[in-house]
Amino acid sequence: MSSNYLDIIRPGINTTFQDKGRDHLYHIGIPFSGAMDNRNYLIANKLVNNNLDSAVVEFAYQGPHIKYSGEKINFAVTGDVIFSIKKKNAEIEGNCYQSYQIENGDEINILSTNKSVYGYLALGGELDLKFQWNSCSINTKANIGSNDGKKLDTGQRINFKKINSNKDVKKINYINNKIENIRVMKGTNFDYFSEQGKQTFYEKEFIVSKLSDRMGMRLEGPKIENIVNTNIKSEGLIKGVIQVPADGNPIIMLSDHGTVGGYPKIGAVASVDYDRLVQMAPGSKIKFKEINLSDAETLFKLYEMETQNLLSQI
Amino acid sequence: MIKNISNLGDAALYCDFGNEVNKSINSQVIKYFKTIKEKKFEGINNLTPSYNKLIISYDLKKTNFKEVKNYVENINAKDSIDINSKKLEIPVCCHDNFSMDIKRLEEILKLSREKILENFLNKEYFCYMTGFIAGMPFLGDLDENMRAQRLETPRVKVPKGSVALTEQFANIYTFESPGGWNILGNTPIDVFDSSKEDKPNLINPGDTVVFKEITLDQYKNYNE
């Protein structure tokens, strides 16, 4: 057995292992999953010299308190996260976007994300996790992936398959800029909504509801009026699609979303804004701004170049 | 045939085969689905066939709307597809413990509980698609007088095994999930099994399903 392992002292609220996700399975009802905030996931792996598609620990709001046993290893936390590192003689406050070395007996205590939702803990090595359909991403709703598809729990021990020989510590200056305007394209049922409803969608503010999770983000606020039909024949969805059920409150599909749905689609979030959308905590205000397909494609290209540029600086 | 192709967001094609739901349109959708799936176009990462639509999603880092649309418009969907159809019997218990929306259905359909169950059970269903949650089968068609709309606000948690109705379809919640369908009963069997990676779904598009009513005692003893 491996002599390097993690003991979970406190799991946090919604702590899972995530990687790049799984594809080619929508037709049997299995969603993409994977790290919610893709950019922060990639940076976390790069900071600890991992392959970019390695598994990381994803947490929401409160993170885990972990004790490490084994040889010296690197770790890094990304997102907007408050955490500390407990060594034999000292406890130091940790900074995001830089890697640290820990050794046998050290603890990482991730207290909380700061006005955001998700944070990432990458460990320099390969965790011993079960893969299902080429991914260890945990989907707690379908109980798919590593850890029997369940959140991490107190007292669990997670072994490493191997640890990285490259133990160079790295650092990057990065700030998660928050946005209030989420750019969207018209949905395929845009004309189901009244003029007033369309105006409400683009001009009014919505509030992120507490009933939001990896599957979907529910919004509260002014109701969006439908004048055609509040049901459609169930059909495929992708992440970022905004459905409006009969109660007039929009729901945005997120990474663990149902693969089909029967509520009219008023819009779809541009891929460029997805990482920042998922970080909007309950109570945050959202305003939608319309863009067209070609602008969305260009903006995503720029976003992707920026991500690659960040990664190349590490 | 595909009547219209538009974009769903910036990373998916929305292929519309029309608004009707029937086996002939559905088999067109499945033809396209199977043909594209076999060809493995670089960048396409998911295909979601439904009654009369096919959503093709792609990795925006590798391709884009124009390329995928051009590809789909020029493929030759195969005529011969083998829908390997099975006939399955699914046990369902409609005891008060499970039939959470029976009162709502009685009101909407203006039918008695007995009549609703009789109509529901004396019927063979065709599986049009699977999805929403893993393995959930969409089974049609319910008689005209059995069609109800979804709940106004979907439930945050629908129990695993729930057998539910909306419009002309019945479905089975393969595990606990949010959902807005009218719940009529519950099945004790696993309709989805993730440990079987190559064949996780019990019911697949093209299969025929009948429901067989069981008592609460039979339900409780079913998996023992």
Side-chain angles (χ1 to χ4, degrees), chain A residues 22-32 38 131-134 139 141-144 185-189 211 213 215 218 229-238 241 245-248 251 257-263 265 267-272 293 296-297 300-301 304 308, chain B residues 6-12 14 19 21 33 37 44-53 55 57-58 60-61 64-66 129-136 138 149-156 166-169 175-181 192 194-198 200-201 204:
Chain A
R22 41 182 77 83
D23 51 18
H24 299 294
L25 293 164
Y26 272 27
H27 61 285
I28 57 171
I30 298 175
F32 219 88
N38 194 52
F131 278 69
Q132 246 178 328
W133 291 288
N134 300 318
N139 175 338
K141 295 285 158 65
N143 292 139
I144 290 169
M185 281 148 282
K186 266 182 199 157
T188 44
N189 307 110
L211 295 173
D213 58 16
M215 268 187 106
R218 294 187 186 223
N229 195 338
T230 55
N231 283 258
I232 58 168
K233 299 281 176 284
S234 288
E235 59 185 38
L237 296 170
I238 56 165
V241 164
D247 65 11
I251 303 176
H257 68 86
T259 54
V260 299
Y263 296 115
K265 304 172 178 68
V269 174
S271 297
V272 61
L293 175 61
E297 287 175 344
F300 182 77
K301 237 175 237 167
E304 179 57 17
Q308 292 307 324
Chain B
S6 56
N7 67 302
L8 178 60
D10 51 22
Y14 182 86
N19 285 323
V21 173
F33 160 65
K37 189 162 178 273
I44 290 181
N45 56 26
N46 268 302
L47 296 158
T48 321
S50 59
Y51 311 119
N52 50 19
K53 307 281 187 284
I55 312 291
S57 53
Y58 48 85
L60 199 46
K61 294 197 279 288
N64 59 39
F65 179 74
K66 204 174 157 193
M129 62 167 169
T130 54
F132 176 58
I133 55 173
M136 178 188 270
F138 285 72
Q149 298 256 298
R150 282 177 186 75
L151 309 186
E152 296 234 318
T153 302
R155 285 192 172 87
V156 174
T166 275
E167 296 180 341
Q168 75 207 69
F169 306 101
F175 44 85
E176 184 184 274
S177 95
W181 289 42
F192 173 76
S194 66
S195 67
K196 298 173 184 157
E197 279 198 27
D198 54 336
N201 289 0
N204 289 287

Side-chain angles (χ1 to χ4, degrees), chain B residues 158-218:
Chain B
V158 175
K160 181 191 172 192
S162 290
V163 174
L165 315 179
T166 275
E167 296 180 341
Q168 75 207 69
F169 306 101
N171 75 17
I172 304 168
Y173 284 85
T174 45
F175 44 85
E176 184 184 274
S177 95
W181 289 42
N182 302 280
I183 303 168
L184 190 64
N186 196 290
T187 181
I189 59 170
D190 281 328
V191 181
F192 173 76
D193 182 354
S194 66
S195 67
K196 298 173 184 157
E197 279 198 27
D198 54 336
K199 262 194 175 336
N201 289 0
L202 180 67
I203 306 168
N204 289 287
D207 289 349
T208 307
V209 170
V210 287
F211 288 95
K212 181 176 172 264
E213 193 177 18
I214 56 170
T215 64
L216 187 59
D217 279 344
Q218 285 171 318

Side-chain angles (χ1 to χ4, degrees), chain B residues 16 20 52 80 87 94 105 120 123 133 149 154 158 175:
Chain B
D16 188 353
E20 286 151 70
N52 50 19
S80 57
K87 198 168 175 175
C94 298
L105 286 169
F120 175 69
K123 184 92 200 163
I133 55 173
Q149 298 256 298
V158 175
F175 44 85

Side-chain angles (χ1 to χ4, degrees), chain A residues 1-71:
Chain A
M1 245 7 256
S2 164
S3 52
N4 307 297
Y5 54 86
L6 306 169
D7 283 313
I8 309 296
I9 299 170
R10 183 197 68 235
I13 293 170
N14 196 1
T15 304
T16 57
F17 296 114
Q18 297 294 338
D19 58 19
K20 79 283 176 204
R22 41 182 77 83
D23 51 18
H24 299 294
L25 293 164
Y26 272 27
H27 61 285
I28 57 171
I30 298 175
F32 219 88
S33 296
M36 294 286 279
D37 179 340
N38 194 52
R39 182 183 272 179
N40 272 310
Y41 158 70
L42 296 171
I43 295 174
N45 269 327
K46 191 77 194 279
L47 284 167
V48 295
N49 311 304
N50 277 351
N51 291 331
L52 289 180
D53 61 358
S54 298
V56 300
V57 178
E58 180 185 275
F59 47 89
Y61 313 113
Q62 186 202 44
H65 181 184
I66 287 171
K67 185 175 178 182
Y68 175 73
S69 302
E71 301 162 59

